[in-house]
Amino acid sequence: MNDQVTHDRYGLGVVIGVEDEVAVVIDFGSRQERITTPFNKLYRL
């Protein structure tokens, strides 16, 4: 939670939710996205 991340498609964001290690919800500023595993294009900063 609250980790800063970057995604190849959506850019910089902040993790606002974790769903039992199956998915994370990320706030990218203009939108929120639910990213499911595997987190191929998602990198923790």
Side-chain angles (χ1 to χ4, degrees):
M1 293 288 293
N2 297 322
D3 286 342
Q4 284 193 330
V5 295
T6 184
H7 189 275
D8 289 350
R9 181 173 180 186
Y10 303 117
L12 294 173
V14 176
V15 176
I16 58 172
V18 178
E19 300 175 1
D20 296 326
E21 297 185 19
V22 174
V24 291
V25 180
I26 302 172
D27 182 2
F28 290 103
S30 62
R31 67 191 302 169
Q32 292 182 358
E33 290 291 331
R34 181 178 179 265
I35 310 291
T36 57
T37 58
F39 307 114
N40 292 333
K41 298 179 180 182
L42 186 67
Y43 306 97
R44 185 178 176 196
L45 298 178

